[in-house]
Amino acid sequence: MKPVVIAAALAGLIGLGLFLAPMNRPPVNESSASRTEDPAKRQAKGAYLAQAGNCMGCHTAQDGRPYAGGHILATSIGTFITPNITPDPETGIGQWTEQDFWRALHDGKARDGSPLYPAFPYTDYTKVTREDADAIFAYLQSLPPVSQRNPPSRINFPFNLRPLLYVWRALYFEQGVYRPEAAKNDEWNRGAYLVQGLGHCNACHTARNPLGASQGNVLGGGQLMGSNWYAPSLTSLQEGSASDWPMDDIVQLLTTGLSSRAAATGPMADVVSQSLQYLTPDDARAMATYLKSLPGSAPHSRGTAPELTDEVDRQFRRGGEIYEKYCQDCHGSFGQGAPGVYPALAGNRGVTLASPINAIRSILNGGYAPVTESSPRPYGMPPFAQILPDEDIALVLSYIRNAWGNRGSLVTAVQVDRSRKGAQ
Ligand code: HEC
Ligand code: HEC
Ligand code: HEC
C-alpha cells in the first residue's frame, strides 16, 4: 500500500474512533458492596481475588516491589511497561476512587476516561462482579504505597494512537459481568466465572489476530503474543483438554503444576506458582469441574507421524542415542519419568503438539516445574542450548515425538534455529 493510502485510512479510522468514543456506555454507577462488611475481611477477600487474577504477575517488575509496575510485556504491537497500582498518590492509584477502579476493570478505561490497551486483560476482567472488584480495590488501597514512576510503554506506530482503541473496542470488546447459567450447578458456574473472568485463561489459550483480539474457538489454543510459546487448546483431546481426566488429576495440575499426565512449563508454570496454587480447594475443584465440562472438540491441528523410510529410521536411531546419553537418567528408558519429580514424555501431549515450539524451548532453555508451597524447590531441567547443536536437538525431539507410542511430525534443525533466534 502507498503511504498516502495508509495515511488516509488511518485518518479515517481515527475519525471513526473519535466518533465512536461518545457511544461507549457510561459506567454502571452502582456499588454493591455493603458498607457494613468488616474492612479487614473485605481486604482479605480482595487479596485472594487479586491472586486469582494474578494482578501481581504483570504489575511487578523482576525483583521489583509488589504491584509497583515496571514489568515488561512484549507484544506484536510494541512493548508495554505496566503501571504502578500501589496506593501512591503521585505515581500509583492513590487518588483513584472505587468507581474509577471499577471502570478500569469492567470497562477498560483509565482514570481520565481514555481507553486502555487490551494488554491489560480487561476483556476478561469485565466478567468480574462489582462486589469482587470493590474487594480487590480495598486490598490494593491497603498496600504500602510505593513511589515509583515507570517509563512509558513503547508502542509502535500507528498503534500508539489511543483513539484507534475506540475502533478496536467497537469491533472486539464485549462488556459485561458473568451471567450464571441456570441449567448448571453452583460449582460449575463458579468455575466458569473464575476461568472466564479473573483467571483470564482466554488471554493465552485463545488465538489472537494481529490486532491482539481473540479469534476462533474460545480456549481453542493459540500462540502467545510476542513469544515462542503455544498455549494448547483446552477443548481438544489432542492438546490440553481435560475432559477425560479424573477430577483429582486436573486439580493437581492446576495447583501444583505436575500430574501424571502433564507438566506446567514456562508461562503456565508462572500462572501456577503466582496464582493457581493459592486457590481454595473449593475453587480449584470448581475450575476443574468447568474445564472438564468443556466440549472436547476436533483437534486444532493434529501432528502427523512421518512415514518410516530408511532415512527416518536412521534419524530415529541417532535421536535415540542422544536421548540415552542426555535425557534418559531423568525421563527414564521408556519415557516414563518419575512421579512428582520428572515428567513422563511417553503419552505427554505437550511433547507431541502439532507445533513443536514448546518442546524446543524446554530443551533449549531448560526450566523448572512451578515453585509452590508444597514444592518450594522443584527439580529442574538443564538448558541444552550450549550443549547440543540444532541438528541434535531436532533429532532427539523427532525421536521422543515418535517413541513409546507417541506420534508427532519430525522436527527440523531450521525450526530449532528459528526458536533460538526468537527465544524470549
Ligand atoms: C497480562 C498482564 C496484566 C495483568 C494480568 C493485569 N494487568 Fe493491569 N495493566 C496491564 C497493562 C499492560 C496496563 C496498561 C494498559 C495501558 O497502558 O493502556 C494495565 C493497567 C492497569 C490499570 C490502569 C492503571 C492506570 O494507571 O491507568 C489498573 C487499575 C490495573 N491494570 C489493575 C489490574 C488489576 C486489579 C489486575 C488483576 C485483577 C491486573 N491489572 C492484571 C497489564 C496487566
Ligand atoms: C500467560 C499465559 C497463560 C495463561 C494466563 C494461562 N495459561 Fe495455561 N498454558 C499456557 C502455556 C504456554 C501452556 C503450554 C505449556 C505447558 O504445557 O505448561 C499452558 C498449558 C496449560 C495446560 C496443560 C495442558 C496439557 O495437557 O499439557 C492447562 C490444563 C492449562 N494451561 C490451563 C489453564 C487455565 C485453566 C488457565 C486459567 C486459570 C490458564 N491455563 C492460563 C499459558 C497460559
Ligand atoms: C536433570 C534431569 C533432566 C534431564 C537430564 C532432562 N530433563 Fe527434561 N525435564 C526435566 C524436568 C524436571 C522437567 C519439567 C520442567 C518444567 O516443568 O519446566 C523436564 C521437562 C521436559 C520437557 C517438557 C515436558 C512437558 O510436559 O511439557 C521435555 C520435552 C523434556 N524435558 C525433554 C528432555 C530431553 C529431550 C532431554 C535430553 C536432551 C531432557 N529432557 C533432559 C528434567 C530433565
Side-chain angles (χ1 to χ4, degrees):
M1 253 196 294
K2 289 206 177 82
V4 193
V5 181
I6 297 174
L10 263 178
L13 277 175
I14 291 173
L16 181 63
L18 292 171
F19 167 74
L20 287 169
M23 278 171 39
N24 280 291
R25 271 173 286 164
V28 190
N29 194 14
E30 28 107 343
S31 166
S32 63
S34 70
R35 292 286 157 253
T36 49
E37 198 186 332
D38 176 5
K41 254 200 207 148
R42 208 142 72 98
Q43 285 165 15
K45 181 177 167 190
Y48 174 74
L49 294 168
Q51 246 162 3
N54 201 7
C55 315
M56 195 161 106
C58 277
H59 284 279
T60 306
Q62 202 160 10
D63 303 320
R65 305 277 300 271
Y67 296 102
H71 176 85
I72 293 167
L73 271 178
T75 74
S76 57
I77 64 161
T79 304
F80 286 89
I81 302 178
T82 55
N84 180 346
I85 56 170
T86 71
D88 184 64
E90 303 302 323
T91 61
I93 61 169
Q95 294 185 37
W96 288 46
T97 63
E98 215 170 51
Q99 181 63 29
D100 294 334
F101 183 77
W102 167 247
R103 193 165 60 156
L105 213 63
H106 185 69
D107 194 20
K109 297 273 181 70
R111 184 159 178 254
D112 64 5
S114 59
L116 291 165
Y117 283 91
F120 166 38
Y122 65 82
T123 42
D124 302 291
Y125 294 154
T126 188
K127 306 241 162 151
V128 174
T129 63
R130 176 75 200 231
E131 195 184 328
D132 283 356
D134 287 352
I136 297 173
F137 183 67
Y139 166 65
L140 292 173
Q141 292 295 312
S142 76
L143 294 169
V146 178
S147 172
Q148 174 176 312
R149 204 174 289 283
N150 297 304
S153 296
R154 295 184 299 271
I155 302 160
N156 308 331
F157 178 81
F159 306 106
N160 57 347
L161 305 169
R162 271 197 198 248
L164 285 179
L165 283 171
Y166 288 115
V167 180
W168 191 94
R169 292 166 61 93
L171 289 173
Y172 303 120
F173 177 43
E174 204 180 315
Q175 188 190 49
V177 169
Y178 176 75
R179 281 207 212 95
E181 280 190 29
K184 306 282 191 189
N185 65 19
D186 288 352
E187 188 176 52
W188 187 95
N189 274 305
R190 175 71 179 167
Y193 173 70
L194 289 169
V195 166
Q196 295 176 21
L198 281 174
H200 68 284
C201 316
N202 203 22
C204 293
H205 284 277
T206 302
R208 293 184 178 227
N209 67 19
L211 293 176
S214 301
Q215 64 172 19
N217 292 337
V218 173
L219 299 177
Q223 183 159 352
L224 267 56
M225 287 190 99
S227 92
N228 258 332
W229 282 103
Y230 175 77
S233 161
L234 300 182
T235 61
S236 157
L237 288 165
Q238 298 295 321
E239 300 197 357
S241 162
S243 59
D244 60 350
W245 290 22
M247 279 293 284
D248 287 344
D249 283 4
I250 311 176
V251 170
Q252 199 190 2
L253 179 68
L254 293 176
T255 56
T256 69
L258 264 185
S259 80
S260 57
R261 291 152 190 270
T265 60
M268 192 62 209
D270 292 342
V271 171
V272 171
S273 53
Q274 294 166 350
S275 174
L276 302 180
Q277 68 154 317
Y278 300 109
L279 291 176
T280 61
D282 282 354
D283 277 352
R285 279 197 86 76
M287 210 181 244
T289 302
Y290 175 69
L291 290 176
K292 193 169 162 59
S293 80
L294 289 173
S297 71
H300 187 254
S301 47
R302 187 197 289 262
T304 37
E307 211 181 309
L308 204 60
T309 59
D310 285 352
E311 168 58 19
V312 169
D313 190 50
R314 202 175 56 78
Q315 287 185 21
F316 283 167
R317 259 184 287 127
R318 282 176 57 203
E321 282 160 24
I322 300 167
Y323 181 81
E324 230 180 275
K325 183 158 174 211
Y326 294 101
C327 324
Q328 188 164 294
D329 280 353
C330 295
H331 291 291
S333 36
F334 304 100
Q336 76 277 22
V341 185
Y342 300 121
L345 301 180
N348 181 332
R349 293 178 300 189
V351 173
T352 52
L353 283 175
S355 158
I357 59 175
N358 293 355
I360 294 175
R361 283 196 64 133
S362 289
I363 296 174
L364 282 175
N365 304 359
Y368 286 93
V371 177
T372 59
E373 273 166 11
S374 55
S375 170
R377 302 183 63 188
Y379 291 90
M381 155 117 173
F384 284 93
Q386 307 301 327
I387 297 171
L388 295 174
D390 293 350
E391 179 69 24
D392 286 2
I393 291 178
L395 286 169
V396 74
L397 266 170
S398 298
Y399 170 74
I400 63 171
R401 281 161 71 83
N402 290 282
W404 323 298
N406 286 351
R407 288 282 166 275
S409 57
L410 295 179
V411 176
T412 64
V414 173
Q415 285 172 305
V416 179
D417 178 57
R418 211 181 292 142
S419 185
R420 250 187 225 272
K421 293 191 175 125
Q424 294 192 22

